[in-house]
C-alpha cells in the first residue's frame, strides 16, 4: 500500500533538521531553502513542519507535463529536465508545499525520497511518521477538524 | 572567484559605519589553517586590527559577528554565531555566543564574518539579503524593545524568513552588560556586546540568505553528523528538563548560589524547579537551528501581575540569578524578569548579580538613602527586582550606577564594596559556585580571558563534580587526569583545566554549542569526532592532535590580547567571598583554599611564565605565533 507522511506538530521544536536532511538528500549540500518540507515558526506558539500530502493537484496544472506520479510509491516526481520553472505548481498547491528552488529555479516538490523519507528518519522529536494511507486518513482529518474548530493544537512540552 | 573553500561561505563583510562603506573581502586561507573560524578567526582580526588600550565604547572598537565552518550545516547543534569585541565590562577580549538561526542565515547570505567598525552619526540598521547589503535608517526604532524592533524590521523588509539581531533600550543606553538579542529571545548576553553595538548607533542587523554551503565529502559528512545527532539524543535529562534542571541538582549538592553567595542551599528550591515550570508555565520546548537537544523552554504567565506573553526561557542561569541569588522564589516574577531582560536587551546573569550586590551593599549601609529614592532594597522582594531591571535598562536613578556593572559600581560605592563584588576581571560571576560545586571552577573563573564565566572556554563542571564522574569529555587519552580526584580537591585541578581551556576552544571555533561537547564518548561530540566532521566537510585533512594544537593556539592568542592590554597574573584572582565558607547546607564550610597552587599548575602546564602568567616567547613561537610574540616584545612585555 502507498504510504503518507503524517505530522504530530505538537512535538515540533522548530529545529529545521528535517529541512536540512531533505535538501542534503537531493543536492548533497546544506541549504534549508532548497528543502521540500518547510518548518514554520509563527509567534506565538507555532513551530511546525508543512509538507506535501501528495494530492497531485499540481500534475494537471503543469503546462509541460513535468510532474508525474510515481507508480511504485505514489509520490509526486518532477522531471527536472522538462520543468521550465513557471511556478504553476506553486500557485495551485493549497499547502504552500511546492516551491521554486532558489538555485536551479526549478520546482521543488516532495518525492518521498523514493519511499524512504529522510525527514522522517532524522526528526529528533518523532514529529513525522510514514504510515499506510489508510492510517494517515485519521491524522489528516484530525488536523482539518482542528482548523475548523479554530482550536489551537495542544502542545506537548516534554518529549516522551 | 578564488578557489572554492568547502564548508565556509568564503567571504567577510566589513561595514564602516563612520564612512558608510561596505566592503566584501575574501576569507583568508592562512587564517583558516591557523584558527579554523568563528572566535578563533575573530580573535586574529581583533589582534591585528585593534590598537591596544582603546576605549571599548569608542568608534575605535570593532564588533565582529562570526560563524564557524560547521555553522549552518546539518551537524547537530551547529546553529551558533559569536560576537567578538573588546569588552566594555572588562577591557579584555570579549566574546559571547548565541543560537537561534542568525548564524546559519549569515552563512546562507554568503558571509562567514561581519565586521562592524566606526560609528554612525545617527541610528541605523543593516539589512543583508543574499549578499546585498543596505544601511537603513533606524531613528524610528530607538527606544523600542527587542520584540518590537524585530517585528517592525521584519515588516519593513518584507521577508518573514529573515533573522534579526538587535539591541534593546539597554544597549542604546550603553549599559555595560547589555546583550545582543537575536530571533527575539536568544541572547549573546555576556561581556556587553550590546553596549558596543549601541556605541556605534547600530540598532540591528537583519539577514536572510538562500545560498548553498557545499560539502567536500558528502557521504562521509552525512555518516559522521548523523552518528553525532544520535549520540546527542542520549542527553535525555537536558532534552526533557532543560538547563533549569540544574536548580534541583545543584541544590541537592548544596551548590545552588543563593543570596549573593551567602550559601549554596535554597530552602524553597522546589518553587523554582523544572517541575514547577512544567506544571503551570511551560508551553513547549524550542530548539536552536539544527539542534536535536532542544534545551530551550518556551513559557508564559497567563494571568496576574506577572503576566507575560509567550517567550523563550527561563533557562537555569536566569532562574538562579533572578531567583535564589536574590533570595526570590516567585517563579512567575522570575519569568517576568526574564521577559523584561530579553526585551530591554540585558544579560540576565550580570543583571541578577548587580541587583543582589546592591541589596547587600544597602544592607551593610554602604549605599545612601538619597540614591535609593524609596526603592525597598531588600532580599526576596520581586517588585524591587522588576523595578531595578527597568531602572538599569533606562539608566535612571540608582540604575545608572548599577548599569556600570559590579566592578565599577563597587568603586563608586566605596567602603567594602570592591571586596564584596562577585566578579573576575569585571565580568559578573554566574550561577555556579566554585566552593560548593567543583574546585575546577575556581581556576577557571580566575584565569578565563573573558572574566567570571562558566562556559567559555570548556564546561568542566561535569568532569569534576564527583569522584564517580563518568564524564571524561573524550580527553582521557590526551592526558586529562583520570579519574577525577574529587570535587573539593584542589591539587591537580590547574593541570586538569588545561585540557578544558584548549578543548573548549574547539566547539567555539567550529561554530557549535558547548552543550554538544560535554559528557563522554557516545553522548557528545569528541575531539576525534570534530576532526572527522571538519575534514569531511571542508576537505582539509585534520586530525585530533592538530585540532588540539589549534585550540591551544587560539586560547593563547586570546590570552595575548589581554596581555597586550596590561593583564597578567595579578588579574587572575577570585573575589574575597570565594575564600569564605559557605554558610549553610550540605557542604557548609567549604571554600576555596589555595588558588595559587592551581594557578601555578595551570601556567606551568600551559608553558607560561609562572611569575607573570604570560605565555612565554618560546611557547608562542612553538604555536606559530611568532609575530604575536614579537609585538608583545615591542610593547616591552617580555
Ligand atoms: S514549475 Fe515546473 S513542475 Fe511546476 S508547473 Fe511549472 S514546469 Fe511544471
Ligand atoms: S520525504 Fe524526502 S523529499 Fe519529502 S520532505 Fe521528506 S526528506 Fe524531503
Ligand atoms: S526535524 Fe522534527 S522537530 Fe525539527 S523542525 Fe522538523 S519536524 Fe520539527
Amino acid at each position: 500500500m502507498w504510504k503518507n507522511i503524517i505530522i504530530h506538530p505538537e512535538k515540533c521544536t522548530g529545529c529545521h533538521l528535517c529541512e536540512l536532511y531533505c535538501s542534503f538528500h537531493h543536492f548533497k549540500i546544506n541549504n534549508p531553502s532548497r528543502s521540500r518540507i518547510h518548518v514554520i515558526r509563527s509567534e506565538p506558539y507555532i513551530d511546525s513542519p508543512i509538507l506535501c500530502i501528495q494530492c497531485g493537484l499540481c500534475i494537471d496544472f503543469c503546462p509541460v507535463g513535468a510532474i508525474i506520479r510515481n507508480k511504485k510509491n505514489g509520490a509526486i516526481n518532477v522531471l527536472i529536465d522538462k520543468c521550465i520553472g513557471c511556478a504553476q505548481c506553486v500557485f495551485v498547491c493549497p499547502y504552500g508545499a511546492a516551491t521554486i528552488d532558489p538555485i536551479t529555479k526549478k520546482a521543488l516538490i516532495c518525492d518521498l525520497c523514493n519511499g524512504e523519507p529522510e525527514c522522517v528518519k532524522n526528526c529528533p522529536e518523532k514529529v513525522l511518521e510514514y504510515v499506510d494511507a489508510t492510517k494517515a486518513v485519521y491524522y489528516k482529518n484530525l488536523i482539518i477538524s482542528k482548523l475548523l474548530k479554530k482550536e489551537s493544537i495542544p502542545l506537548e512540552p516534554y518529549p516522551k | 572567484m578564488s578557489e572554492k573553500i568547502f564548508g565556509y561561505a568564503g567571504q567577510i563583510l566589513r561595514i564602516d559605519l563612520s564612512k558608510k562603506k561596505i566592503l566584501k573581502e575574501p576569507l583568508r586561507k592562512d587564517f583558516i589553517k591557523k584558527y579554523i573560524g568563528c572566535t578563533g578567526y575573530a580573535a586574529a582580526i581583533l589582534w591585528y586590527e585593534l590598537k591596544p588600550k582603546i576605549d571599548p565604547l569608542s568608534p575605535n572598537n570593532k564588533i565582529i559577528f562570526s560563524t564557524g565552518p560547521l555553522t549552518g550545516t546539518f551537524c547537530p547543534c551547529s546553529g551558533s554565531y559569536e560576537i567578538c569585541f573588546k569588552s566594555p565590562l572588562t577591557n579584555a577580549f570579549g566574546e559571547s555566543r548565541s543560537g537561534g538561526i542568525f548564524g546559519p542565515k549569515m552563512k546562507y547570505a554568503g558571509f562567514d564574518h561581519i565586521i562592524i567598525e566606526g560609528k554612525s552619526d545617527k541610528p541605523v540598521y543593516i539589512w543583508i539579503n543574499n549578499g546585498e547589503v543596505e544601511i537603513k535608517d533606524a531613528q524610528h526604532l530607538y527606544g523600542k524593545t527587542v520584540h518590537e524592533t524585530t517585528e517592525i524590521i521584519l515588516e519593513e523588509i518584507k521577508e518573514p524568513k529573515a533573522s534579526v539581531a538587535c539591541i534593546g533600550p539597554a544597549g542604546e543606553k550603553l549599559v555595560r552588560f547589555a546583550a545582543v538579542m537575536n530571533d527575539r529571545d536568544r541572547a549573546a548576553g555576556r561581556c556587553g556586546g550590546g553596549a558596543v553595538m549601541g556605541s556605534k548607533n547600530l540598532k540591528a542587523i537583519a539577514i536572510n540568505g538562500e545560498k548553498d554551503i557545499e560539502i567536500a565529502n558528502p557521504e562521509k559528512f552525512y555518516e559522521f553528523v548523523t552518528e553525532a545527532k544520535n549520540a546527542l539524543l542520549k542527553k535525555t535529562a537536558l532534552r526533557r528538563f532543560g538547563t533549569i534542571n540544574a536548580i534541583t541538582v545543584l541544590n541537592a549538592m548544596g551548590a545552588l548560589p543563593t543570596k549573593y553567595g551567602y550559601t549554596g542551599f535554597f530552602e524553597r528550591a522546589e518553587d523554582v524547579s523544572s517541575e514547577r515550570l512544567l506544571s503551570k508555565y511551560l508551553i513547549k520546548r524550542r530548539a536552536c537551528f539544527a539542534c536535536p537537544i532542544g534545551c530551550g523552554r518556551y513559557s508564559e504567565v497567563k494571568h496576574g501581575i506577572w503576566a507575560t506573553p509567550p517567550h523563550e526561557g527561563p533557562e537555569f542561569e536566569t532562574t538562579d540569578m533572578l531567583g535564589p541569588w536574590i533570595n526570590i522564589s516567585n517563579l512567575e516574577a522570575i519569568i517576568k524578569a526574564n521577559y523584561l531582560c530579553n526585551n530591554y536587551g540585558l544579560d540576565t546573569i550580570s543583571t541578577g548579580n548587580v541587583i543582589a550586590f546592591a541589596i547587600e551593599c544597602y544592607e551593610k549601609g554602604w549605599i545612601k538613602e538619597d540614591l535609593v529614592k524609596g526603592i525597598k532594597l531588600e532580599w526576596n522582594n520581586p517588585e524591587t527586582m522588576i523595578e531595578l531591571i527597568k531602572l538599569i535598562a533606562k539608566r535612571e536613578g540608582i540604575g545608572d550606577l548599577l548599569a556600570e556593572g559590579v566592578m565599577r559600581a563597587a568603586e563608586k560605592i566605596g567602603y567594602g564594596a570592591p571586596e564584596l563584588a562577585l566578579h573576575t576581571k569585571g565580568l559578573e560571576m554566574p550561577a555556579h559556585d566554585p566552593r560548593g560545586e567543583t574546585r575546577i571552577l575556581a581556576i577557571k573563573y580566575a584565569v578565563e580571558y573573558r572574566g567570571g564565566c562558566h562556559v567559555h572556554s570548556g564546561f568542566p563542571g561535569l568532569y569534576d563534580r564527583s569522584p564517580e564522574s563518568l564524564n571524561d569529555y573524550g580527553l582521557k587519552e590526551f592526558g586529562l587526569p583520570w579519574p577525577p580526584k574529587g570535587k573539593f580537591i584542589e591539587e591537580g585541578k590547574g593541570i586538569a583545566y588545561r585540557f578544558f581551556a584548549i578543548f573548549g576552544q574547539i566547539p567555539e571555533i567550529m561554530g557549535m554549542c558547548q552543550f554538544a561537547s560535554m559528557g563522554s564518548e557516545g553522548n557528545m561530540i569528541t575531539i576525534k569526532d570534530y576532526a572527522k566532521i571538519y575534514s569531511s566537510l571542508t576537505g582539509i585533512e585534520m586530525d585530533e592532535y592538530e585540532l588540539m594544537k589549534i585550540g591551544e593556539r587560539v586560547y593563547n592568542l586570546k590570552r595575548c590580547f589581554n596581555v597586550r592590554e596590561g593583564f597578567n597574573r595579578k588579574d587572575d584572582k577570585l573575589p574575597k567571598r570565594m575564600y569564605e565558607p559557605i554558610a549553610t547546607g550540605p557542604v557548609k564550610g567549604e571554600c576555596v583554599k589555595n588558588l595559587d597552587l592551581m594557578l601555578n599548575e595551570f601556567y606551568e602546564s600551559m608553558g607560561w611564565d609562572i611569575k607573570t602568567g604570560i605565555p612565554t616567547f618560546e611557547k608562542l613561537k612553538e604555536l606559530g605565533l611568532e609575530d604575536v610574540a614579537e609585538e608583545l616584545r615591542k610593547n616591552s612585555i617580555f
Side-chain angles (χ1 to χ4, degrees):
Chain A
M1 189 187 292
W2 286 352
K3 289 170 145 190
N4 264 134
I5 299 176
I6 55 161
I7 56 177
H8 304 279
E10 67 280 5
K11 297 180 187 170
C12 177
T13 61
C15 73
H16 296 269
L17 275 167
C18 48
E19 290 181 340
L20 287 161
Y21 272 94
C22 177
S23 49
F24 175 85
H25 177 78
H26 295 90
F27 301 110
K28 305 290 174 253
I29 44 83
N30 304 284
N31 190 349
S33 312
R34 302 180 75 185
S35 164
R36 292 142 210 254
I37 181 167
H38 311 285
V39 179
I40 296 300
R41 174 165 290 180
S42 166
E43 300 292 346
Y45 305 119
I46 304 300
D47 290 286
S48 175
I50 305 287
L51 84 170
C52 168
I53 59 159
Q54 312 292 336
C55 70
L57 268 180
C58 52
I59 298 177
D60 290 342
F61 251 70
C62 177
V64 293
I67 309 178
I68 56 166
R69 190 172 295 279
N70 183 325
K71 288 279 159 354
K72 205 177 90 222
N73 49 38
I76 304 291
N77 287 175
V78 177
L79 306 171
I80 275 312
D81 293 338
K82 270 197 178 175
C83 171
I84 53 170
C86 67
Q88 289 288 325
C89 51
V90 179
F91 167 78
V92 74
C93 177
Y95 284 88
T99 53
I100 296 292
D101 184 331
I103 308 285
T104 64
K105 311 288 181 209
K106 305 224 178 179
L108 285 178
I109 302 173
C110 169
D111 60 6
L112 294 175
C113 295
N114 212 9
E116 288 183 50
E118 277 292 306
C119 55
V120 175
K121 233 189 295 173
N122 287 293
C123 167
E125 308 297 334
K126 302 196 169 59
V127 170
L128 303 154
E129 243 186 295
Y130 194 46
V131 299
D132 285 346
T134 49
K135 192 184 171 206
V137 169
Y138 174 74
Y139 289 94
K140 287 183 189 172
N141 291 353
L142 194 68
I143 287 177
I144 301 282
S145 75
K146 278 178 179 152
L147 286 176
L148 291 175
K149 273 199 276 176
K150 284 212 172 72
E151 182 187 278
S152 67
I153 296 161
L155 302 169
E156 187 179 285
Y158 286 165
K160 292 233 175 74
Chain B
M1 272 306 276
S2 58
E3 186 194 328
K4 178 148 68 192
I5 316 175
F6 291 98
Y8 295 86
Q11 243 185 358
I12 296 177
L13 177 64
R14 185 187 291 272
I15 300 178
D16 183 334
L17 289 174
S18 302
K19 303 191 189 110
K20 302 270 181 299
K21 234 173 53 197
I22 297 165
L23 266 179
K24 290 175 189 170
E25 302 168 2
L27 199 64
R28 282 180 60 169
K29 291 225 175 78
D30 54 333
F31 274 19
I32 295 177
K33 279 243 155 62
K34 276 178 101 163
Y35 312 111
I36 305 269
C38 206
T39 66
Y41 199 112
I45 298 177
L46 291 180
W47 169 266
Y48 290 109
E49 295 186 9
L50 281 198
K51 289 213 180 63
K53 312 271 158 97
I54 56 155
D55 173 1
L57 295 178
S58 73
N60 296 327
N61 200 1
K62 305 190 183 197
I63 179 165
I64 309 177
F65 290 73
S66 287
T67 65
L70 294 181
T71 307
T73 70
F74 64 117
C75 180
C77 298
S78 62
S80 300
Y81 75 97
E82 303 235 11
I83 44 174
C84 296
F85 47 92
K86 181 173 170 181
S87 162
L89 269 178
T90 62
N91 279 322
F93 184 79
E95 67 181 19
S96 195
R97 174 207 169 264
S98 181
I101 196 172
F102 186 85
K105 290 279 183 189
M106 278 177 61
K107 293 278 290 280
Y108 302 138
F111 301 110
D112 296 290
H113 306 271
I114 302 173
I115 308 173
I116 308 287
E117 27 186 69
K119 174 185 180 171
S120 170
D121 48 357
K122 55 180 191 359
V124 290
Y125 75 92
I126 297 166
W127 164 219
I128 303 166
N129 189 9
N130 257 324
E132 277 171 39
V133 186
E134 210 182 319
I135 302 175
K136 293 170 78 100
D137 179 61
Q139 224 116 15
H140 59 302
L141 296 172
Y142 255 57
K144 293 271 187 290
T145 67
V146 167
H147 286 191
E148 286 166 353
T149 304
T150 308
E151 229 127 82
I152 296 171
I153 289 180
L154 289 178
E155 182 70 24
E156 267 174 30
I157 59 179
K158 308 228 172 324
E159 180 47 84
K161 276 159 77 184
S163 169
V164 176
C166 66
I167 54 171
E172 296 168 17
K173 291 271 191 235
L174 310 184
V175 174
R176 282 187 192 265
F177 43 88
V180 174
M181 306 292 302
N182 61 288
D183 306 297
R184 290 160 172 267
D185 291 310
R186 287 274 149 195
R190 307 238 64 199
C191 296
V196 178
M197 244 174 105
S199 75
K200 301 193 170 311
N201 263 329
L202 178 62
K203 178 71 175 171
I205 300 179
I207 195 157
N208 194 40
E210 299 185 319
K211 297 185 181 174
D212 288 346
I213 301 171
E214 294 181 59
I215 307 168
N217 188 339
E219 280 69 33
K220 282 265 173 289
F221 187 70
Y222 179 95
E223 181 193 327
F224 297 148
V225 301
T226 305
E227 211 171 86
K229 171 175 69 81
N230 293 335
L232 294 183
L233 284 176
K234 294 189 194 131
K235 295 192 178 296
T236 39
L238 189 55
R239 297 188 73 224
R240 198 166 151 74
F241 301 113
T243 57
I244 189 176
N245 191 32
I247 292 276
T248 28
V249 174
L250 288 182
N251 202 46
M253 288 162 58
L256 182 72
T258 302
K259 229 182 152 195
Y260 210 52
Y262 166 76
T263 174
F265 186 71
F266 188 56
E267 276 110 11
R268 292 162 282 144
E270 279 308 308
D271 295 351
V272 294
S273 63
S274 177
E275 286 73 15
R276 185 60 58 87
L277 183 69
L278 171 68
S279 73
K280 268 175 113 167
Y281 313 108
L282 186 68
I283 301 165
K284 60 187 287 193
R285 295 154 60 237
R286 259 200 180 163
C288 293
F289 187 84
C291 175
I293 300 174
C295 74
R297 310 286 100 177
Y298 185 68
S299 21
E300 71 183 327
V301 179
K302 282 211 176 85
H303 311 288
I305 52 167
W306 311 112
T308 68
H311 65 284
E312 283 181 50
E315 312 304 322
F316 163 69
E317 285 292 328
T318 306
T319 308
D320 187 47
M321 300 302 294
L322 299 170
W325 185 265
I326 320 177
N327 212 9
I328 285 173
S329 58
N330 180 338
L331 188 53
E332 294 192 359
I334 295 170
I335 295 172
K336 175 86 178 187
N338 177 57
Y339 175 75
L340 287 177
C341 285
N342 285 2
N343 260 299
Y344 288 129
L346 284 169
D347 173 25
T348 52
I349 297 177
S350 291
T351 305
N353 188 316
V354 83
I355 289 175
F357 169 73
I359 293 170
E360 187 156 344
C361 283
Y362 181 73
E363 198 178 59
K364 293 197 152 76
W366 299 337
I367 293 183
K368 298 280 165 299
E369 283 302 335
D370 56 334
L371 191 62
V372 181
K373 293 209 185 83
I375 300 164
K376 290 202 196 97
L377 275 185
E378 60 192 13
W379 302 110
N380 197 11
N381 185 333
E383 280 89 3
T384 296
M385 167 173 71
I386 299 288
E387 184 63 22
L388 285 177
I389 289 173
K390 291 179 180 165
L391 291 176
I392 291 170
K394 296 177 182 154
R395 271 193 182 266
E396 282 168 10
I398 191 174
D400 194 31
L401 173 72
L402 302 182
E404 290 292 290
V406 285
M407 183 175 74
R408 287 175 179 80
E411 288 297 322
K412 287 190 186 142
I413 292 168
Y415 302 99
E419 279 203 325
L420 172 69
L422 290 180
H423 70 89
T424 65
K425 300 186 177 69
L427 186 68
E428 286 77 12
M429 267 177 52
H432 289 277
D433 191 326
R435 293 172 298 172
E437 189 175 329
T438 102
R439 229 36 80 65
I440 202 167
L441 286 174
I443 174 74
K444 173 169 175 42
Y445 285 174
V447 300
E448 223 27 71
Y449 51 83
R450 75 170 195 173
C453 156
H454 62 297
V455 184
H456 291 202
S457 61
F459 197 98
L462 287 186
Y463 154 79
D464 200 25
R465 261 187 210 166
S466 75
E468 306 84 43
S469 161
L470 297 170
N471 301 307
D472 65 18
Y473 289 57
L475 294 172
K476 244 183 332 204
E477 53 194 281
F478 292 88
L480 176 73
W482 192 261
K485 288 201 191 113
K487 59 186 176 182
F488 297 143
I489 310 270
E490 293 178 346
E491 201 188 345
K493 292 299 155 65
I495 297 168
Y497 184 60
R498 170 178 181 271
F499 293 89
F500 293 97
I502 293 172
F503 173 60
Q505 295 300 310
I506 307 303
E508 270 188 36
I509 60 184
M510 291 285 179
M512 296 278 294
C513 172
Q514 292 274 2
F515 282 157
S517 303
M518 53 190 221
S520 57
E521 213 165 308
N523 66 22
M524 69 173 282
I525 303 181
T526 63
I527 184 90
K528 280 191 191 152
D529 299 331
Y530 276 119
K532 288 194 299 191
I533 291 172
Y534 181 79
S535 304
S536 59
L537 174 67
T538 61
I540 301 170
E541 274 316 313
M542 181 68 66
D543 66 22
E544 54 271 28
Y545 299 98
E546 175 68 15
L547 215 43
M548 283 298 261
K549 192 103 238 163
I550 294 174
E552 189 176 0
R553 182 181 300 133
V554 171
Y555 193 84
N556 274 270
L557 179 63
K558 290 172 181 174
R559 179 82 178 181
C560 287
F561 181 96
N562 287 0
V563 168
R564 190 172 65 175
E565 297 290 336
F567 288 83
N568 57 38
R569 179 166 183 148
K570 73 175 183 327
D571 304 290
D572 292 347
K573 58 185 184 197
L574 291 172
K576 184 157 160 268
R577 182 152 282 176
M578 293 300 109
Y579 301 98
E580 293 164 359
I582 290 183
T584 63
V587 292
K588 181 177 163 193
E590 279 297 336
C591 65
V592 177
K593 296 192 180 73
N594 197 346
L595 177 64
D596 275 328
L597 169 82
M598 290 185 271
L599 282 177
N600 290 346
E601 285 176 355
F602 180 69
Y603 296 150
E604 192 179 353
S605 62
M606 289 298 282
W608 296 355
D609 184 75
I610 293 188
K611 272 219 297 293
T612 60
I614 293 174
T616 59
F617 198 93
E618 293 68 41
K619 184 75 208 179
L620 294 176
K621 223 172 116 188
E622 177 202 315
L623 291 170
L625 296 171
E626 295 89 346
D627 55 334
V628 172
E630 280 303 337
E631 166 135 8
L632 289 183
R633 178 174 278 167
K634 265 203 314 228
N635 286 281
S636 45
I637 280 161
F638 298 119

